[in-house]
């Protein structure tokens, strides 16, 4: 996969291609359907498959007070795109100039001009251009003028509702991990850097890796979880993770702390990703540190059992 960071880096325009367009945060099953459709069309017509997306959610510029937290970091998004098998990923800077393009200019300058779109693949609810004035109806009317084919896909239904990034966010915040990953169609990984905390876990006999998020990702509901973890793309590790305000410790503050099972390396400053396999319990306030220590021991054993069962 070739990645273009910024539309201006597409120096030599594609002669012809099949282009999938979208924000694609999370790359859930609906997104995957769009991308796979573009790949099949590109293979059929022997031309490159191109995904066109943005470096941020458009709401960050247009309505920052309503901008959602992310489901994937840029690195995770790139990895998922490559695994799906696209030929090129174009990540445009979503700035005022791009936001102010009319739908007509968006199609002419970007999709047809820079990307050489012979086929455009979108979800049927896709909107674009100044004031979100472009939609599938516009693309349908404009296709004869610009000479491209259009494929607009209906939402993918998972369970009893369409797959959407909003739905995944809601499921994660409710702590319903299995349902969230069913909509995603892949594991959900929270990515960050291990930073030094107050060393409360070490004092209790269960040292923890304190995760500082690299991006504004959705954090699952507060509680105790059985987790898998990866450090610097290393082997899969097991752990028990606490998300919350640690109510037994006055003024401890909100944190994401993972006790890695049977692991004793110094990992401060290293990258770590955490996948939440099972929510074990809610946060609790204990009467003493000894009571908390006993509960942590139970949590660790529960995490071992849950992870062994999950395979």
């Amino acid at each position: 996969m070739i990645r273009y960071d910024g539309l201006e880096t597409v120096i030599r325009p594609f002669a012809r291609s099949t282009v999938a367009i979208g924000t694609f945060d999370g790359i859930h099953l609906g997104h995957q359907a769009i991308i796979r459709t573009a790949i099949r069309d590109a293979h059929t017509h022997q031309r490159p498959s191109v995904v066109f997306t943005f470096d941020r959610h458009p709401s960050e510029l247009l309505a920052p007070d309503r901008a959602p937290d992310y489901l994937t970091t840029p690195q995770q998004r790139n990895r998922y795109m490559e695994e799906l098998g696209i030929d090129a990923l174009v990540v445009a800077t979503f700035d005022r100039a791009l936001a102010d393009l009319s739908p007509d200019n968006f199609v002419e300058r970007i999709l047809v001009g820079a990307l050489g779109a012979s086929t455009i693949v979108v979800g049927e609810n896709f909107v674009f251009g100044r004031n979100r004035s472009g939609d599938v109806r516009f693309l349908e009317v404009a296709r004869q003028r610009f000479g491209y084919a259009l494929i607009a896909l209906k939402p993918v239904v998972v369970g009893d509702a369409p797959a959407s990034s909003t739905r995944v966010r809601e499921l994660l915040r409710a702590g319903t991990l299995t349902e969230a990953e069913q909509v995603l169609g892949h594991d959900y990984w929270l990515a960050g850097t291990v930073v030094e905390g107050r060393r409360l876990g070490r004092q209790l006999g269960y040292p923890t890796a304190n995760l500082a998020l690299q991006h504004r990702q959705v954090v699952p509901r507060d509680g105790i979880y059985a987790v898998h973890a990866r450090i610097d793309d290393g082997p899969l590790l097991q752990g028990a993770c606490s998300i919350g305000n640690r109510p037994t410790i006055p003024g401890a503050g909100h944190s994401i702390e993972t006790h890695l099972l049977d692991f004793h390396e110094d990992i401060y400053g290293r990258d770590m990703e955490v996948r939440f396999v099972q929510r074990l319990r809610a946060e609790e306030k204990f009467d003493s540190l000894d009571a908390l220590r006993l509960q942590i021991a139970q949590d660790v054993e529960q995490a071992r059992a849950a992870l062994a069962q999950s395979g």
Side-chain angles (χ1 to χ4, degrees):
M1 181 187 80
I2 301 172
R3 190 177 81 237
Y4 299 89
D5 291 317
L7 190 58
E8 68 280 0
T9 65
V10 185
I11 299 172
R12 184 175 300 168
F14 292 87
R16 56 195 180 94
S17 68
T18 296
V19 180
I21 320 166
T23 304
F24 297 127
D25 180 33
I27 322 222
H28 56 63
L29 288 175
H31 297 151
Q32 292 175 40
I34 292 169
I35 294 166
R36 287 194 170 104
T37 298
I39 292 170
R40 285 195 297 270
D41 182 85
H43 287 174
T44 297
H45 295 95
Q46 298 183 327
R47 57 193 181 216
S49 57
V50 179
V51 169
F52 180 76
T53 190
F54 312 108
D55 68 336
R56 71 203 73 187
H57 195 286
S59 294
E60 287 203 10
L61 176 69
L62 303 177
D65 57 324
R66 299 198 301 273
D69 290 341
Y70 288 95
L71 296 173
T72 47
T73 68
Q75 293 79 10
Q76 290 171 342
R77 176 203 62 206
N78 297 345
R79 185 170 69 232
Y80 291 136
M81 292 286 189
E82 188 161 20
E83 288 173 356
L84 285 168
I86 65 170
D87 295 309
L89 173 63
V90 178
V91 184
T93 303
F94 194 87
D95 53 17
R96 180 53 63 181
L98 181 57
D100 285 344
L101 279 180
S102 68
D104 204 76
N105 284 336
F106 186 94
V107 172
E108 182 175 12
R109 296 181 189 177
I110 297 176
L111 300 183
V112 176
L115 304 182
S118 296
T119 299
I120 295 171
V121 186
V122 294
E124 67 174 10
N125 298 318
F126 176 68
V127 293
F128 65 100
R130 187 169 53 242
N131 298 324
R132 296 164 58 90
S133 54
D135 55 14
V136 169
R137 180 180 174 83
F138 176 91
L139 290 173
E140 179 65 34
V141 171
R143 69 185 180 88
Q144 291 184 339
R145 180 157 50 99
F146 290 107
Y148 56 78
L150 176 66
I151 303 174
L153 298 185
K154 293 183 178 298
V156 171
V157 174
V158 182
D160 58 356
S164 72
S165 298
T166 298
R167 184 181 172 195
V168 176
R169 294 184 190 103
E170 291 170 351
L171 290 168
L172 288 170
R173 289 185 175 125
T176 49
L177 308 169
T178 299
E179 292 89 338
E181 291 189 342
Q182 286 172 346
V183 178
L184 282 170
H186 58 76
D187 298 341
Y188 182 71
W189 291 88
L190 202 60
T193 303
V194 179
V195 298
E196 193 162 353
R198 296 178 59 179
R199 297 179 179 263
L200 299 174
R202 188 176 299 277
Q203 294 173 30
L204 293 167
Y206 295 92
T208 58
N210 192 11
L211 191 70
L213 298 184
Q214 294 170 343
H215 297 272
R216 202 182 67 245
Q217 273 185 281
V218 176
V219 178
R221 181 183 179 185
D222 286 1
I224 311 303
Y225 293 84
V227 300
H228 284 136
R230 284 194 299 244
I231 298 169
D232 295 334
D233 295 323
L236 204 63
L237 303 172
Q238 296 184 336
C241 179
S242 170
I243 302 176
N245 293 308
R246 299 169 288 180
T248 306
I249 314 295
H254 198 273
S255 69
I256 305 166
E257 293 185 292
T258 302
H259 173 67
L260 297 171
L261 308 184
D262 309 314
F263 185 85
H264 307 288
E265 294 181 27
D266 182 351
I267 54 174
Y268 287 130
R270 293 170 68 178
D271 291 339
M272 184 169 81
E273 288 184 293
V274 177
R275 180 197 170 213
F276 302 86
V277 177
Q278 183 178 319
R279 190 170 189 267
L280 303 176
R281 64 174 177 88
E283 272 199 306
E284 294 180 57
K285 182 177 181 179
F286 295 91
D287 295 333
S288 67
L289 291 181
D290 284 339
L292 174 58
R293 186 180 292 109
L294 287 173
Q295 182 59 58
I296 293 174
Q298 294 178 30
D299 294 338
V300 167
E301 292 311 307
Q302 269 194 283
R304 284 188 190 276
L307 293 167
Q309 190 174 15
S310 73

